[in-house]
């Protein structure tokens, strides 16, 4: 994760405290309006001392099938959050990305509770921590459970910055040497994959500000340049220049991205 860290994001302590407070307030409101959810909200948010504790419990509850698995996953997640405090910061910035870019998101609590793209990426951040600390069996354990339960398969070695939106997320795949920088928006059924049996650095590098449409397949050790846009259903086999829009099978440049940062505007229309 170190080479895609948003250093400024790590310093947003006041914003992160505010986000956690907002999550708790929304949880209290929901518990009052929906009493049947009160116990679950207490266990996942209201009785938790901080965001990292809440996040660890939520990941464990989402992925575990047994109480033994829940206990193991919660303990492992707590260990990762304590070992690298940036993980919590990155998760909080992902929540903001969902809130700001997804019109279906009504509060900062919704991604935490319901949106599997956010939860899958959060679980990956925990798996990546253990991969980086040479505990690869644990990393694969978390990856496997995330793939099975959420239909999102991210190799634990893949590197992700913060401010990532995985919208819907079903069928998203990222290979071992894939890199996704800060402030990227990705729709469902996207593949960041390889092209054969070649080992080593073989997966895409997605730079900041990029928007990738649903079903796009980006294959090989290629670069999707700063603030580029990839049209839905495209098969990308070559580098995409910064600020370009590509579409088709195989993908070709069809114009420039009309937005300064396509990831923020979420405009999937292609230039005429």
């Amino acid at each position: 994760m170190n080479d895609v860290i948003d250093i400024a994001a790590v310093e947003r302590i006041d914003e992160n405290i505010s986000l956690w407070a907002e999550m708790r307030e929304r949880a209290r409101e929901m518990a009052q309006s929906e009493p049947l959810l009160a116990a679950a909200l207490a266990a996942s948010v209201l009785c938790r001392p901080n965001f990292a504790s809440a996040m660890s419990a939520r990941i464990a509850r989402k992925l575990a099938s047994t109480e033994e698995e829940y206990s193991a996953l919660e303990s492992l997640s707590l260990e990762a959050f304590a070992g690298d405090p940036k993980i919590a910061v990155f998760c909080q910035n992902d929540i903001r990305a969902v809130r700001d870019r997804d019109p279906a998101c009504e509060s900062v609590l919704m991604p935490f509770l319901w949106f599997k793209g956010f939860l899958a990426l959060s679980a990956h951040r925990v798996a990546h921590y253990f991969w980086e600390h040479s505990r690869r069996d644990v990393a694969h354990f978390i990856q496997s459970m995330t793939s099975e339960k959420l239909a999102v398969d991210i190799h634990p070695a893949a590197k992700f910055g913060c401010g990532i939106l995985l919208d819907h997320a079903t069928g998203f795949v990222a290979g071992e040497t894939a890199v996704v920088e800060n402030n990227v928006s990705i729709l469902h059924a996207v593949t960041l994959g390889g092209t054969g049996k070649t080992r080593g650095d073989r997966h895409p590098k997605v730079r900041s500000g990029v928007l990738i449409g649903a079903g796009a397949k980006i294959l090989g050790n290629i670069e999707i340049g700063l603030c580029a846009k990839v049209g839905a259903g495209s098969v990308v086999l070559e580098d995409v220049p910064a600020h370009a829009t590509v579409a088709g099978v195989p993908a070709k440049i069809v114009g420039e991205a009309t937005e300064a940062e396509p990831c923020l505007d979420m405009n999937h229309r292609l230039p005429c």
Side-chain angles (χ1 to χ4, degrees):
M1 190 185 298
N2 292 339
D3 60 345
V4 289
I5 286 174
D6 177 358
I7 296 299
V10 176
E11 298 173 351
R12 294 173 192 154
I13 304 300
D14 290 342
E15 290 184 24
N16 294 333
I17 293 172
S18 175
L19 183 139
W20 174 234
E22 185 177 347
M23 288 175 60
R24 288 176 59 81
E25 179 59 28
R26 178 65 185 118
R28 281 191 287 268
E29 293 172 355
M30 189 184 300
Q32 292 175 356
S33 63
E34 297 291 349
L36 289 177
L37 298 180
L41 290 165
S44 61
V45 180
L46 296 175
C47 291
R48 295 287 163 176
N50 52 48
F51 178 83
S53 172
M55 199 72 246
S56 298
R58 190 71 191 111
I59 291 170
R61 184 56 65 197
K62 193 68 177 178
L63 300 186
S65 298
T66 66
E67 286 305 309
E68 291 79 8
E69 288 179 349
Y70 175 88
S71 179
L73 284 165
E74 184 179 28
S75 295
L76 289 167
S77 297
L78 285 169
E79 181 179 345
F81 279 103
D84 185 357
K86 292 186 297 296
I87 297 175
V89 178
F90 279 33
C91 290
Q92 289 162 329
N93 284 347
D94 294 339
I95 287 177
R96 293 190 192 91
V98 179
R99 176 197 62 192
D100 294 343
R101 301 176 209 165
D102 185 351
C105 184
E106 299 174 357
S107 75
V108 294
L109 188 61
M110 287 186 70
F112 174 87
L113 291 178
W114 317 127
F115 288 13
K116 73 175 186 178
F118 167 73
L119 293 168
L121 183 56
S122 300
H124 166 72
R125 296 194 187 282
V126 173
H128 183 73
Y129 171 85
F130 289 106
W131 185 271
E132 292 288 283
H133 287 77
S134 300
R135 295 174 64 184
R136 296 189 172 185
D137 290 331
V138 170
H140 280 302
F141 167 68
I142 298 169
Q143 175 208 9
S144 177
M145 297 188 77
T146 304
S147 178
E148 178 182 347
K149 293 298 182 66
L150 302 180
V152 174
D153 195 356
I154 307 173
H155 192 284
K159 298 177 180 178
F160 283 75
C162 64
I164 308 297
L165 167 62
L166 290 184
D167 195 8
H168 298 288
T170 300
F172 175 69
V173 175
E176 179 181 11
T177 60
V179 174
V180 178
E181 293 186 343
N182 302 317
N183 299 323
V184 172
S185 294
I186 302 173
L187 274 287
H188 55 283
V190 166
T191 297
L192 305 179
T195 58
K197 294 171 64 177
T198 302
R199 295 183 180 273
D201 195 357
R202 61 195 184 278
H203 296 107
K205 312 297 180 281
V206 180
R207 303 308 178 194
S208 296
V210 168
L211 172 63
I212 304 176
K217 313 302 176 188
I218 304 173
L219 306 176
N221 185 14
I222 61 176
E223 179 171 316
I224 309 301
L226 183 74
C227 297
K229 184 191 296 187
V230 178
S234 300
V235 177
V236 186
L237 302 173
E238 298 178 348
D239 290 345
V240 176
H243 303 284
T245 296
V246 299
V249 182
K252 303 293 183 183
I253 296 175
V254 296
E256 291 189 0
T258 56
E259 304 82 17
E261 293 184 84
C263 71
L264 303 182
D265 291 86
M266 299 293 291
N267 179 6
H268 292 271
R269 290 182 179 274
L270 302 177
C272 296

